[in-house]
């Protein structure tokens, strides 16, 4: 039982740090609020879907920006999509970077866009890895027979 | 004292028929408030579907305006306008009921606004259409509202947004729904207050929506 308590404390601390650092925002909380007994993994399911979608979008963006003649409308459309989905799951930093990215698309600055894309990739990778750790913690708690604490 | 007894007695006297009717009405609502959700983002579709099913709606999700029109019978599989307007009417006659359309604004191909105009110009024009967008642009919002949109929601859409829509939408839904007589609001208020504690609230009108009808029940 002490082990479960330890895990639960770790979970609470980790979750709080994600909010504190702006990795996630209140939309992430909303996803958890939609969970219930019949669908206790809803938040994880949505975020996993987001991961798949994001990979596709990042590939498209890389491809679009590697063109000789970059079509900034296309790039902007993909960034808009990415901004939307990151906003929906509460990936705050990723979303904020997408907002800056769109401004750069408007300016049609290839160099800056490429740099921004790099930043987005890094930020996204960080988000992904942290959320995966969080979900892993949740699994450990459940496997150890505990319940996942709710955070205000 | 006498008044209080009367109040307590009433629910028991009218218990079985009115509670049963309320139950039936609730079930009908739960099974039959059908929302057509249109969004090209898979993530957003999943979230919206969840919000709506937690709100006790039946949900159909499609990923484009074209698919929505196809579903409604307004275009055929080749995306040609249905040969005759009667195809969509036939869908409705066959029992296809859509009580609300919720659509993203920004979609490749047909925008949510385009879809709104198509729906409003068709035999489905009575169905309320709510538009969702991540952009808080007053001109866009006005354009949609003037185009006949019921409401405009900012993304990310939340459970509270749908709850705010419910009373307005349910009023017309209830009126068109069934011949069941009005239910005693006092019994419904009691049962609803117990449900308030849970997060997942069934699709039910706020007590304030019921209050006007109490006037009709002057004789106890």
């Amino acid at each position: 039982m002490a082990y479960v308590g330890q895990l639960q404390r770790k979970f609470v601390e980790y979750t709080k740090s994600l909010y504190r650092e702006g990795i996630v925002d209140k939309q992430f909380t909303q996803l958890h609020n939609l969970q219930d007994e019949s669908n206790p993994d809803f938040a994880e399911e949505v975020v996993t879907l987001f991961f798949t979608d994001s990979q596709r979008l990042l590939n498209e963006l890389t491809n679009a920006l590697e063109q000789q003649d970059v079509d900034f409308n296309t790039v902007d459309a993909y960034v808009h999509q990415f901004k939307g989905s990151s906003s929906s799951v509460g990936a705050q930093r990723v979303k904020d970077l997408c907002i800056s990215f769109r401004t750069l698309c408007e300016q049609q600055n290839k160099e800056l866009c490429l740099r921004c894309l790099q930043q987005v990739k890094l930020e996204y990778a960080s988000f992904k890895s942290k959320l995966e750790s969080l979900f892993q913690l949740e699994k450990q708690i459940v496997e150890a027979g505990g319940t996942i604490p709710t955070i205000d | 004292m006498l008044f209080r007894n009367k109040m307590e007695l009433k629910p028991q006297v009218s218990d079985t028929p009115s509670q049963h009717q309320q139950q039936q009405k609730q079930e009908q609502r739960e099974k039959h408030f059908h929302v057509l959700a249109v969004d090209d983002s898979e993530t957003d579709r999943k979230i919206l579907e969840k919000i709506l099913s937690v709100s006790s709606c039946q949900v159909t999700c499609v990923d484009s305006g074209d698919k929505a029109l196809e579903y409604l019978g307004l275009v055929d599989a080749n995306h040609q306008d249905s040969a005759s307007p009667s195809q969509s009417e036939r869908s409705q006659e066959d029992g296809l009921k859509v009580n609300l359309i919720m659509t993203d604004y920004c979609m490749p191909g047909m925008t949510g606004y385009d879809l709104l105009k198509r729906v409003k110009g068709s035999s489905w024009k009575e169905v309320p259409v709510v538009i969702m967008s991540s952009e808080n642009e007053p001109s866009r919002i006005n354009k949609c509202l003037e185009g006949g949109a019921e409401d405009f929601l900012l993304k990310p859409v939340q459970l509270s947004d749908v709850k705010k829509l419910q009373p307005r939408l349910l009023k017309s839904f209830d009126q068109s729904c069934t011949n069941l007589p009005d239910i005693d609001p006092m019994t419904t208020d009691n049962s609803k207050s117990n449900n308030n504690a849970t997060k997942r609230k069934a699709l039910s009108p706020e007590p304030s929506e019921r209050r006007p009808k109490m006037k009709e029940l002057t004789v106890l």
Side-chain angles (χ1 to χ4, degrees):
Chain A
M1 278 316 275
Y3 175 59
V4 172
Q6 234 176 32
L7 285 175
Q8 288 170 327
R9 267 191 300 280
K10 195 173 170 187
F11 173 82
V12 169
E13 275 320 303
Y14 196 59
T15 307
K16 282 185 178 169
S17 74
L18 293 181
Y19 282 98
R20 216 172 29 239
E21 290 164 29
I23 309 286
V24 299
D25 61 25
K26 60 178 161 60
Q27 183 58 21
F28 187 62
T29 318
Q30 289 292 319
L31 292 186
H32 280 86
N33 289 346
L34 290 171
Q35 285 181 164
D36 57 37
E37 307 80 43
S38 67
N39 200 179
D41 297 322
F42 177 72
E44 187 179 342
E45 285 169 15
V46 178
V47 174
T48 306
L49 196 56
F50 169 69
F51 290 158
T52 312
D53 204 30
S54 301
Q55 202 47 62
R56 176 187 67 85
L57 285 169
L58 288 172
N59 290 342
E60 298 280 16
L61 276 167
T62 309
N63 190 40
L65 280 169
E66 276 173 0
Q67 299 303 308
Q68 185 86 297
D69 278 314
V70 175
D71 180 351
F72 285 99
N73 285 332
T74 305
V75 177
D76 182 66
Y78 286 130
V79 178
H80 173 79
Q81 278 184 57
F82 199 26
K83 180 192 131 211
S85 53
S86 54
S87 163
S88 295
V89 302
Q92 187 177 284
R93 284 207 200 161
V94 176
K95 177 197 75 180
D96 288 343
L97 273 174
C98 286
I99 294 173
S100 312
F101 202 158
R102 290 196 80 190
T103 312
L104 296 174
C105 288
E106 269 170 52
Q107 294 166 8
Q108 310 215 345
N109 188 321
K110 182 172 176 175
E111 203 43 58
L112 289 180
C113 279
L114 279 167
R115 232 180 281 173
C116 193
L117 178 60
Q118 273 314 106
Q119 276 187 286
V120 170
K121 283 179 176 174
L122 284 172
E123 198 57 62
Y124 166 74
S126 165
F127 174 81
K128 184 166 188 272
S129 126
K130 292 188 161 120
L131 269 283
E132 280 170 344
S133 300
L134 189 70
F135 294 141
Q136 189 58 28
L137 256 177
E138 284 184 352
K139 275 191 182 57
Q140 287 176 320
I141 293 172
V142 170
E143 272 161 22
T147 52
I148 297 161
T150 44
I151 319 273
D152 285 325
Chain B
M1 189 66 161
L2 201 64
F3 183 68
R4 230 181 85 223
N5 282 343
K6 246 187 182 168
M7 293 271 282
E8 285 165 350
L9 203 64
K10 232 171 55 32
Q12 285 162 9
V13 166
S14 56
D15 182 293
T16 317
S18 68
Q19 266 190 358
H20 175 66
Q21 282 160 357
Q22 175 61 5
Q23 176 81 356
Q24 262 192 327
K25 205 167 189 178
Q26 182 80 344
E27 277 166 16
Q28 275 205 331
R29 216 182 277 140
E30 284 173 14
K31 279 183 227 162
H32 293 124
F33 196 89
H34 184 202
V35 183
L36 178 61
V38 191
D39 200 319
D40 60 313
S41 160
E42 209 178 342
T43 311
D44 288 353
R45 275 199 309 278
K46 188 173 170 80
I47 296 173
L48 187 57
E49 184 189 36
K50 189 67 177 173
I51 288 175
L52 291 170
S53 51
V54 158
S55 306
S56 302
C57 299
Q58 196 191 324
V59 194
T60 300
C61 287
V62 293
D63 64 9
S64 71
D66 282 322
K67 296 257 176 68
L69 292 179
E70 228 181 284
Y71 184 79
L72 297 170
L74 292 171
V75 292
D76 61 27
N78 298 323
H79 294 184
Q80 301 300 311
D81 282 352
S82 286
S84 62
S86 65
Q87 186 166 332
S88 68
E89 283 155 7
R90 232 178 297 135
S91 304
Q92 288 168 72
E93 275 161 22
D94 284 345
L96 178 64
K97 288 254 181 309
V98 175
N99 301 106
L100 169 66
I101 297 171
M102 289 186 75
T103 177
D104 189 19
Y105 181 91
C106 222
M107 297 186 289
M110 188 182 295
T111 66
Y113 178 76
D114 298 329
L115 179 61
L116 167 71
K117 297 303 279 178
R118 291 294 293 271
V119 168
K120 290 302 164 186
S122 77
S123 52
W124 292 98
K125 61 179 178 289
E126 293 306 318
V127 178
V129 180
V130 169
I131 304 212
M132 307 171 286
S133 173
S134 52
E135 316 286 318
N136 192 357
E137 253 178 63
S139 58
R140 176 181 292 187
I141 298 172
N142 284 329
K143 185 173 85 160
C144 291
L145 294 176
E146 278 164 26
E150 176 74 25
D151 209 332
F152 189 99
L153 298 178
L154 280 181
K155 281 183 153 188
V157 173
Q158 302 183 352
L159 189 57
S160 53
D161 296 322
V162 170
K163 283 198 192 311
K164 280 187 204 139
L165 286 176
Q166 278 175 14
R168 213 187 320 153
L169 296 172
L170 274 178
K171 211 166 175 182
S172 45
F173 175 72
D174 276 347
Q175 282 162 7
S176 66
C177 199
T178 155
N179 300 328
L180 295 172
D182 265 344
I183 307 307
D184 185 328
M186 285 186 242
T187 53
T188 64
D189 279 350
N190 284 341
S191 60
K192 264 206 290 276
S193 61
N194 290 334
N195 288 335
N196 280 341
T198 59
K199 275 179 191 158
R200 291 181 56 226
K201 220 170 141 176
L203 193 78
S204 55
E206 299 297 309
S208 60
E209 283 302 300
R210 289 285 190 187
R211 231 172 272 139
K213 289 177 185 162
M214 272 178 77
K215 285 186 196 151
E216 299 159 31
L217 303 168
T218 43
V219 180
L220 293 182

